[in-house]
Amino acid sequence: MRLTRGYTVVSNDLAQHPTLSMEARGIGVYIQSLPGDTQVGIKVLVGKLPLGEVCIASALRELERHGFLGRTKERLPNGRIVTRTVWRNHPGAAALAPAVPETPPPPRRVPPPEPVPTPEPVPTPEPETAPEEPETAPTTPVEAPSEAPAPARAAAAPAPAPAVTLPAPVNPDNPARRRLAVELLAELRRADARLLLGEQDVRRLAGAVEAWLERGATHQAITAALCANLPERPRSPAGLVAHRLTVQLPPRLAALPHRTAFVPPDPFTTCETCDRAFRSPTRGGHCKDCAKDENGEARAAGPCGPTRPRPPHRKIVCVPNLPFRDVSSDRSEGPPVDDAPPTTLEDTRFGAITVRLEGQERVEIEGPGIPPVSLVRAPGSEADPQIRIGTRDPEHLTLTIDGRTSPLLPAKGRLTRSSYRVEVEHEGARYVLVPDSVPGSRLTRDGTHLGDFTADGDALVIAEWQEHVDLRPLDASVGYALAAAFGTGAQPMWMMIVDGVSSALP
């Protein structure tokens, strides 16, 4: 019966080869039965034939040694290197095989010389220039076809992505900002697992992030810009981040108008007689009530100015950032709180932070590496001169963090230190600023001690952060805002009781 389909013609040179092993003959017949452009690697053949890798590799080397198989390395246009396998039915005809592919290239190069007759009209002026003209004339058409396939290669060449010039900060000497930029890039994988960067990429891209921070971009804004509309599987997360940092670099903001120079008030000192706190340009001295001598005459060198009689009704209250304060029942006698110019503080962890106080109506906190925070007192509400923001009533206060309103709950402020605590709820986190010493207060997030704050009531806020704590830019925004608005520190209750009793005794 003659076969009309499903058969393979095998040369006797392979089937009856005197030295080839049976494994090599069988694999050779199998390869010859396959259609063209079929993968015939060792692992592919292991999955198709009941033989091991060692046996198949030995058989392929045997076929290659006797000329039935040829394997060469080739580079694809995309740069990938592959192995091309050529099967020969008749190894003796292998010598003729190179002549066959060599004949087609000459026909491909023959068409370019065909335009040679075209420059014949040119040699009419001079016979000597005639040979020069044909030499230049064919070169132009010959180069055109040779360059024709070049655009196809050039189109594939830009695949590795061109070099990108990253933006750099104007003032690179800022360790705190550099540390914040490194932390931002390292934590991108928390915002999106696809943006996992190596240490070298983080160090290389940190300068570009510093340029963003220097132009006023916040930590959250940079993270959102780098994580927005990501491809499903980024080929190069570092290249993607570098491209966005370069192309989407924000413009510089115009400088804010500066207010008149601010003259800070005299610092607080303690009376040498009654241990009360009062403002004085020098340390020590006596308060107004103690500025009299035993004869009732005013002291000559009293730093407190003229003496006035002690009011009949007086009470002692614990004010944040003061050991204690003797306040008359008439609250209208307190000094007015003026606007303070913007004060720029250098935080050890988050760089430059600006504190802006507008009387007792508004407190604003902003900085290149933290989200902006504003605390506003309702217009028309009664202002307490002992509190920078004017009140501890949450109904008259509005706290805005990065454009969103957050609940604020200040305690009433009685005798104990805990009564001066201030609580904030934002994005599921609970912040508490509570006095823990006479000058300072402790900031916690969900019970974790983040740092200690000290404020003088005049936009000067000092933060001492805890080591080995996972800090966030939001921690600095909330801590500086609460410390600037409500002050820090308070006396313990026992000290207030002692002072009250001692002042009540004749």
CSV table of all heavy atoms in Angstrom, one decimal, residues 80-129:
chain,number,residue,atom,x,y,z
A,80,ARG,N,18.3,39.5,22.1
A,80,ARG,CA,18.2,38.1,22.6
A,80,ARG,C,19.1,37.2,21.8
A,80,ARG,O,19.0,37.2,20.6
A,80,ARG,CB,16.8,37.7,22.8
A,80,ARG,CG,16.7,36.3,23.4
A,80,ARG,CD,15.2,35.9,23.5
A,80,ARG,NE,15.1,34.5,24.0
A,80,ARG,CZ,13.9,33.8,24.0
A,80,ARG,NH1,12.8,34.4,23.5
A,80,ARG,NH2,13.9,32.6,24.5
A,81,ILE,N,19.8,36.3,22.4
A,81,ILE,CA,20.7,35.3,21.7
A,81,ILE,C,20.0,34.0,21.7
A,81,ILE,O,19.6,33.5,22.8
A,81,ILE,CB,22.1,35.2,22.4
A,81,ILE,CG1,22.8,36.6,22.3
A,81,ILE,CG2,22.9,34.1,21.7
A,81,ILE,CD1,24.1,36.6,23.0
A,82,VAL,N,19.8,33.4,20.6
A,82,VAL,CA,19.1,32.1,20.4
A,82,VAL,C,20.0,31.1,19.7
A,82,VAL,O,21.0,31.5,19.0
A,82,VAL,CB,17.8,32.2,19.7
A,82,VAL,CG1,16.8,33.1,20.5
A,82,VAL,CG2,18.0,32.8,18.3
A,83,THR,N,19.7,29.8,19.8
A,83,THR,CA,20.5,28.8,19.1
A,83,THR,C,19.6,28.3,17.9
A,83,THR,O,18.5,27.8,18.1
A,83,THR,CB,20.8,27.6,20.0
A,83,THR,OG1,21.6,28.1,21.1
A,83,THR,CG2,21.6,26.5,19.2
A,84,ARG,N,20.1,28.4,16.7
A,84,ARG,CA,19.4,28.0,15.5
A,84,ARG,C,20.0,26.6,15.0
A,84,ARG,O,21.2,26.4,14.9
A,84,ARG,CB,19.6,29.0,14.3
A,84,ARG,CG,18.8,28.6,13.1
A,84,ARG,CD,18.9,29.7,12.0
A,84,ARG,NE,18.3,30.9,12.5
A,84,ARG,CZ,17.0,31.2,12.4
A,84,ARG,NH1,16.2,30.3,12.0
A,84,ARG,NH2,16.5,32.3,12.9
A,85,THR,N,19.1,25.6,14.9
A,85,THR,CA,19.4,24.2,14.5
A,85,THR,C,19.0,24.0,13.1
A,85,THR,O,17.9,24.3,12.7
A,85,THR,CB,18.7,23.2,15.4
A,85,THR,OG1,19.1,23.5,16.8
A,85,THR,CG2,19.2,21.8,15.1
A,86,VAL,N,20.0,23.4,12.3
A,86,VAL,CA,19.8,23.1,10.9
A,86,VAL,C,20.0,21.6,10.7
A,86,VAL,O,21.0,21.0,11.1
A,86,VAL,CB,20.7,23.9,10.0
A,86,VAL,CG1,20.5,23.5,8.5
A,86,VAL,CG2,20.6,25.4,10.2
A,87,TRP,N,19.0,21.0,10.1
A,87,TRP,CA,19.1,19.5,9.8
A,87,TRP,C,19.4,19.3,8.4
A,87,TRP,O,18.9,19.9,7.5
A,87,TRP,CB,17.7,18.9,10.2
A,87,TRP,CG,17.7,17.4,9.8
A,87,TRP,CD1,17.2,16.8,8.8
A,87,TRP,CD2,18.3,16.4,10.6
A,87,TRP,NE1,17.4,15.4,8.8
A,87,TRP,CE2,18.1,15.1,10.0
A,87,TRP,CE3,19.1,16.4,11.8
A,87,TRP,CZ2,18.6,13.9,10.5
A,87,TRP,CZ3,19.5,15.2,12.3
A,87,TRP,CH2,19.3,14.0,11.6
A,88,ARG,N,20.3,18.4,8.1
A,88,ARG,CA,20.8,18.0,6.7
A,88,ARG,C,20.5,16.6,6.5
A,88,ARG,O,21.0,15.7,7.2
A,88,ARG,CB,22.3,18.3,6.6
A,88,ARG,CG,22.7,19.7,6.9
A,88,ARG,CD,24.2,20.0,6.7
A,88,ARG,NE,24.6,21.3,7.0
A,88,ARG,CZ,25.1,21.6,8.2
A,88,ARG,NH1,25.2,20.7,9.1
A,88,ARG,NH2,25.4,22.9,8.5
A,89,ASN,N,19.7,16.3,5.4
A,89,ASN,CA,19.4,14.9,5.0
A,89,ASN,C,20.6,14.2,4.5
A,89,ASN,O,20.8,13.0,4.8
A,89,ASN,CB,18.3,14.9,3.9
A,89,ASN,CG,17.0,15.4,4.4
A,89,ASN,OD1,16.8,15.4,5.6
A,89,ASN,ND2,16.2,15.9,3.5
A,90,HIS,N,21.5,14.9,3.8
A,90,HIS,CA,22.7,14.3,3.2
A,90,HIS,C,23.9,15.1,3.7
A,90,HIS,O,24.1,16.2,3.2
A,90,HIS,CB,22.6,14.3,1.7
A,90,HIS,CG,23.6,13.4,1.0
A,90,HIS,ND1,24.9,13.3,1.4
A,90,HIS,CD2,23.4,12.5,-0.1
A,90,HIS,CE1,25.5,12.4,0.6
A,90,HIS,NE2,24.6,12.0,-0.3
A,91,PRO,N,24.6,14.6,4.6
A,91,PRO,CA,25.8,15.4,5.1
A,91,PRO,C,26.8,15.6,4.0
A,91,PRO,O,27.5,16.7,4.1
A,91,PRO,CB,26.4,14.5,6.2
A,91,PRO,CG,25.3,13.5,6.6
A,91,PRO,CD,24.5,13.3,5.4
A,92,GLY,N,26.9,14.8,3.0
A,92,GLY,CA,27.9,15.0,2.0
A,92,GLY,C,27.6,16.3,1.2
A,92,GLY,O,28.5,16.8,0.6
A,93,ALA,N,26.3,16.7,1.2
A,93,ALA,CA,25.9,17.9,0.4
A,93,ALA,C,26.1,19.2,1.3
A,93,ALA,O,25.7,20.2,0.8
A,93,ALA,CB,24.5,17.8,-0.1
A,94,ALA,N,26.6,19.0,2.5
A,94,ALA,CA,26.8,20.2,3.3
A,94,ALA,C,27.7,21.2,2.7
A,94,ALA,O,27.6,22.4,3.0
A,94,ALA,CB,27.3,19.8,4.7
A,95,ALA,N,28.7,20.7,2.0
A,95,ALA,CA,29.7,21.6,1.3
A,95,ALA,C,29.0,22.5,0.3
A,95,ALA,O,29.4,23.7,0.1
A,95,ALA,CB,30.8,20.9,0.7
A,96,LEU,N,27.9,22.0,-0.3
A,96,LEU,CA,27.2,22.8,-1.2
A,96,LEU,C,26.2,23.8,-0.6
A,96,LEU,O,25.7,24.7,-1.2
A,96,LEU,CB,26.4,21.9,-2.2
A,96,LEU,CG,27.3,20.9,-3.0
A,96,LEU,CD1,26.4,20.1,-3.9
A,96,LEU,CD2,28.3,21.7,-3.9
A,97,ALA,N,25.9,23.5,0.7
A,97,ALA,CA,24.9,24.3,1.3
A,97,ALA,C,25.2,25.8,1.5
A,97,ALA,O,24.4,26.6,1.2
A,97,ALA,CB,24.6,23.7,2.7
A,98,PRO,N,26.5,26.1,1.8
A,98,PRO,CA,26.8,27.5,1.9
A,98,PRO,C,26.7,28.3,0.6
A,98,PRO,O,26.4,29.4,0.5
A,98,PRO,CB,28.3,27.6,2.4
A,98,PRO,CG,28.5,26.2,3.0
A,98,PRO,CD,27.6,25.3,2.2
A,99,ALA,N,27.0,27.5,-0.6
A,99,ALA,CA,26.9,28.2,-1.9
A,99,ALA,C,25.4,28.6,-2.2
A,99,ALA,O,25.2,29.6,-2.8
A,99,ALA,CB,27.4,27.3,-3.0
A,100,VAL,N,24.5,27.9,-1.7
A,100,VAL,CA,23.1,28.2,-2.0
A,100,VAL,C,22.6,29.5,-1.3
A,100,VAL,O,22.1,30.4,-1.9
A,100,VAL,CB,22.1,27.1,-1.5
A,100,VAL,CG1,20.7,27.4,-1.8
A,100,VAL,CG2,22.5,25.8,-2.3
A,101,PRO,N,22.9,29.7,0.0
A,101,PRO,CA,22.5,31.0,0.6
A,101,PRO,C,23.4,32.2,0.1
A,101,PRO,O,23.0,33.3,0.2
A,101,PRO,CB,22.7,30.8,2.1
A,101,PRO,CG,23.6,29.7,2.2
A,101,PRO,CD,23.5,28.8,1.0
A,102,GLU,N,24.6,31.9,-0.4
A,102,GLU,CA,25.4,33.0,-0.8
A,102,GLU,C,25.0,33.6,-2.1
A,102,GLU,O,25.2,34.7,-2.4
A,102,GLU,CB,26.9,32.5,-0.9
A,102,GLU,CG,27.6,32.3,0.4
A,102,GLU,CD,29.0,31.8,0.3
A,102,GLU,OE1,29.4,31.7,-0.9
A,102,GLU,OE2,29.7,31.6,1.3
A,103,THR,N,24.3,32.8,-3.0
A,103,THR,CA,23.9,33.3,-4.2
A,103,THR,C,22.7,34.3,-4.1
A,103,THR,O,22.7,35.2,-4.9
A,103,THR,CB,23.4,32.1,-5.1
A,103,THR,OG1,22.5,31.3,-4.4
A,103,THR,CG2,24.6,31.2,-5.5
A,104,PRO,N,21.8,34.1,-3.2
A,104,PRO,CA,20.7,35.2,-3.1
A,104,PRO,C,21.3,36.6,-2.8
A,104,PRO,O,20.8,37.5,-3.3
A,104,PRO,CB,19.8,34.7,-2.0
A,104,PRO,CG,20.1,33.2,-1.9
A,104,PRO,CD,21.5,33.0,-2.3
A,105,PRO,N,22.3,36.7,-1.8
A,105,PRO,CA,22.7,38.1,-1.5
A,105,PRO,C,23.1,38.9,-2.8
A,105,PRO,O,22.8,40.0,-2.9
A,105,PRO,CB,23.8,37.9,-0.5
A,105,PRO,CG,23.5,36.6,0.1
A,105,PRO,CD,22.9,35.8,-1.0
A,106,PRO,N,23.9,38.3,-3.7
A,106,PRO,CA,24.3,39.1,-4.9
A,106,PRO,C,23.1,39.7,-5.6
A,106,PRO,O,23.1,40.8,-6.0
A,106,PRO,CB,25.1,38.2,-5.7
A,106,PRO,CG,25.7,37.2,-4.7
A,106,PRO,CD,24.6,37.0,-3.7
A,107,PRO,N,22.0,38.9,-5.9
A,107,PRO,CA,20.9,39.5,-6.6
A,107,PRO,C,20.3,40.7,-5.8
A,107,PRO,O,19.8,41.6,-6.4
A,107,PRO,CB,19.9,38.4,-6.7
A,107,PRO,CG,20.7,37.1,-6.6
A,107,PRO,CD,21.9,37.4,-5.8
A,108,ARG,N,20.4,40.6,-4.4
A,108,ARG,CA,19.8,41.7,-3.6
A,108,ARG,C,20.7,42.9,-3.8
A,108,ARG,O,20.2,44.0,-3.7
A,108,ARG,CB,19.7,41.3,-2.2
A,108,ARG,CG,18.7,40.2,-1.9
A,108,ARG,CD,18.7,39.8,-0.4
A,108,ARG,NE,17.8,38.7,-0.2
A,108,ARG,CZ,17.7,38.1,1.0
A,108,ARG,NH1,18.4,38.5,2.0
A,108,ARG,NH2,16.9,37.1,1.1
A,109,ARG,N,22.0,42.7,-4.0
A,109,ARG,CA,22.9,43.9,-4.1
A,109,ARG,C,23.0,44.3,-5.6
A,109,ARG,O,23.5,45.4,-5.9
A,109,ARG,CB,24.3,43.5,-3.6
A,109,ARG,CG,24.3,43.2,-2.1
A,109,ARG,CD,25.7,42.8,-1.7
A,109,ARG,NE,25.7,42.5,-0.3
A,109,ARG,CZ,26.8,42.0,0.4
A,109,ARG,NH1,27.9,41.9,-0.3
A,109,ARG,NH2,26.7,41.7,1.6
A,110,VAL,N,22.5,43.5,-6.5
A,110,VAL,CA,22.6,43.8,-8.0
A,110,VAL,C,21.7,45.0,-8.3
A,110,VAL,O,22.0,45.9,-9.0
A,110,VAL,CB,22.3,42.6,-8.8
A,110,VAL,CG1,22.2,43.0,-10.3
A,110,VAL,CG2,23.4,41.6,-8.7
A,111,PRO,N,20.4,45.1,-7.8
A,111,PRO,CA,19.5,46.2,-8.1
A,111,PRO,C,20.1,47.5,-7.9
A,111,PRO,O,19.9,48.4,-8.7
A,111,PRO,CB,18.3,45.9,-7.3
A,111,PRO,CG,18.3,44.5,-7.1
A,111,PRO,CD,19.7,44.0,-7.0
A,112,PRO,N,20.9,47.8,-6.8
A,112,PRO,CA,21.4,49.1,-6.6
A,112,PRO,C,22.3,49.6,-7.8
A,112,PRO,O,22.1,50.8,-8.2
A,112,PRO,CB,22.2,49.1,-5.3
A,112,PRO,CG,21.6,47.9,-4.6
A,112,PRO,CD,21.1,47.0,-5.6
A,113,PRO,N,23.2,48.8,-8.4
A,113,PRO,CA,23.9,49.3,-9.5
A,113,PRO,C,23.1,49.6,-10.7
A,113,PRO,O,23.6,50.3,-11.7
A,113,PRO,CB,24.9,48.2,-9.8
A,113,PRO,CG,25.0,47.4,-8.6
A,113,PRO,CD,23.7,47.5,-8.0
A,114,GLU,N,21.8,49.2,-10.8
A,114,GLU,CA,21.0,49.5,-12.0
A,114,GLU,C,20.9,50.9,-12.3
A,114,GLU,O,20.8,51.4,-13.4
A,114,GLU,CB,19.7,48.8,-11.9
A,114,GLU,CG,19.7,47.3,-11.9
A,114,GLU,CD,18.4,46.7,-11.8
A,114,GLU,OE1,17.4,47.5,-11.7
A,114,GLU,OE2,18.2,45.5,-11.8
A,115,PRO,N,20.8,51.9,-11.3
A,115,PRO,CA,20.7,53.3,-11.6
A,115,PRO,C,22.0,53.9,-12.2
A,115,PRO,O,22.0,55.1,-12.5
A,115,PRO,CB,20.4,53.9,-10.2
A,115,PRO,CG,20.0,52.8,-9.4
A,115,PRO,CD,20.6,51.6,-9.9
A,116,VAL,N,23.0,53.1,-12.5
A,116,VAL,CA,24.3,53.6,-13.0
A,116,VAL,C,24.0,54.3,-14.4
A,116,VAL,O,24.6,55.4,-14.6
A,116,VAL,CB,25.3,52.5,-13.2
A,116,VAL,CG1,26.5,53.0,-13.9
A,116,VAL,CG2,25.6,51.9,-11.9
A,117,PRO,N,23.2,53.8,-15.2
A,117,PRO,CA,22.9,54.6,-16.5
A,117,PRO,C,22.4,56.0,-16.3
A,117,PRO,O,22.5,56.8,-17.2
A,117,PRO,CB,22.0,53.7,-17.3
A,117,PRO,CG,22.2,52.3,-16.7
A,117,PRO,CD,22.5,52.5,-15.3
A,118,THR,N,21.7,56.2,-15.2
A,118,THR,CA,21.1,57.5,-15.0
A,118,THR,C,22.1,58.7,-15.0
A,118,THR,O,21.8,59.8,-15.5
A,118,THR,CB,20.3,57.5,-13.7
A,118,THR,OG1,21.1,57.2,-12.7
A,118,THR,CG2,19.1,56.5,-13.8
A,119,PRO,N,23.3,58.6,-14.4
A,119,PRO,CA,24.2,59.7,-14.5
A,119,PRO,C,24.9,59.9,-15.8
A,119,PRO,O,25.8,60.8,-15.9
A,119,PRO,CB,25.2,59.4,-13.4
A,119,PRO,CG,25.2,57.9,-13.3
A,119,PRO,CD,23.8,57.5,-13.7
A,120,GLU,N,24.6,59.1,-16.9
A,120,GLU,CA,25.3,59.3,-18.2
A,120,GLU,C,25.1,60.7,-18.8
A,120,GLU,O,26.0,61.3,-19.3
A,120,GLU,CB,24.8,58.3,-19.2
A,120,GLU,CG,25.2,56.9,-18.8
A,120,GLU,CD,24.7,55.9,-19.9
A,120,GLU,OE1,24.0,56.3,-20.8
A,120,GLU,OE2,25.1,54.7,-19.7
A,121,PRO,N,23.9,61.4,-18.6
A,121,PRO,CA,23.9,62.8,-19.1
A,121,PRO,C,24.8,63.7,-18.5
A,121,PRO,O,25.2,64.8,-19.0
A,121,PRO,CB,22.4,63.2,-18.8
A,121,PRO,CG,21.7,61.9,-18.6
A,121,PRO,CD,22.7,61.0,-18.1
A,122,VAL,N,25.3,63.4,-17.3
A,122,VAL,CA,26.2,64.4,-16.5
A,122,VAL,C,27.5,64.5,-17.2
A,122,VAL,O,28.1,65.6,-17.2
A,122,VAL,CB,26.3,63.9,-15.1
A,122,VAL,CG1,27.2,64.8,-14.3
A,122,VAL,CG2,24.9,63.8,-14.5
A,123,PRO,N,28.2,63.4,-17.7
A,123,PRO,CA,29.6,63.5,-18.2
A,123,PRO,C,29.7,64.4,-19.4
A,123,PRO,O,30.8,64.5,-20.0
A,123,PRO,CB,30.0,62.1,-18.5
A,123,PRO,CG,28.8,61.3,-18.4
A,123,PRO,CD,27.7,62.1,-17.7
A,124,THR,N,28.7,65.0,-20.0
A,124,THR,CA,28.8,65.8,-21.2
A,124,THR,C,29.7,67.0,-21.1
A,124,THR,O,30.5,67.3,-22.0
A,124,THR,CB,27.4,66.3,-21.7
A,124,THR,OG1,26.8,66.9,-20.5
A,124,THR,CG2,26.6,65.1,-22.1
A,125,PRO,N,29.9,67.7,-19.9
A,125,PRO,CA,30.7,68.8,-19.9
A,125,PRO,C,32.2,68.5,-20.1
A,125,PRO,O,32.8,69.1,-21.0
A,125,PRO,CB,30.5,69.4,-18.5
A,125,PRO,CG,29.2,68.9,-18.1
A,125,PRO,CD,29.1,67.6,-18.7
A,126,GLU,N,32.8,67.6,-19.4
A,126,GLU,CA,34.2,67.2,-19.5
A,126,GLU,C,34.3,65.7,-19.4
A,126,GLU,O,33.7,65.1,-18.6
A,126,GLU,CB,35.0,67.9,-18.4
A,126,GLU,CG,35.0,69.4,-18.5
A,126,GLU,CD,35.8,70.0,-17.3
A,126,GLU,OE1,36.5,69.2,-16.6
A,126,GLU,OE2,35.9,71.2,-17.2
A,127,PRO,N,35.2,65.2,-20.2
A,127,PRO,CA,35.4,63.7,-20.1
A,127,PRO,C,36.1,63.3,-18.8
A,127,PRO,O,36.0,62.2,-18.4
A,127,PRO,CB,36.3,63.4,-21.4
A,127,PRO,CG,36.9,64.7,-21.7
A,127,PRO,CD,36.0,65.8,-21.3
A,128,GLU,N,36.9,64.2,-18.2
A,128,GLU,CA,37.6,63.8,-17.0
A,128,GLU,C,36.7,63.8,-15.8
A,128,GLU,O,36.9,62.9,-14.9
A,128,GLU,CB,38.7,64.9,-16.7
A,128,GLU,CG,39.8,64.9,-17.8
A,128,GLU,CD,40.9,65.9,-17.4
A,128,GLU,OE1,40.7,66.6,-16.4
A,128,GLU,OE2,41.9,66.0,-18.2
A,129,THR,N,35.7,64.6,-15.9
A,129,THR,CA,34.7,64.6,-14.7
A,129,THR,C,33.7,63.5,-14.9
A,129,THR,O,33.0,63.1,-13.9
A,129,THR,CB,34.0,65.9,-14.6
A,129,THR,OG1,33.3,66.1,-15.9
A,129,THR,CG2,35.0,67.0,-14.3
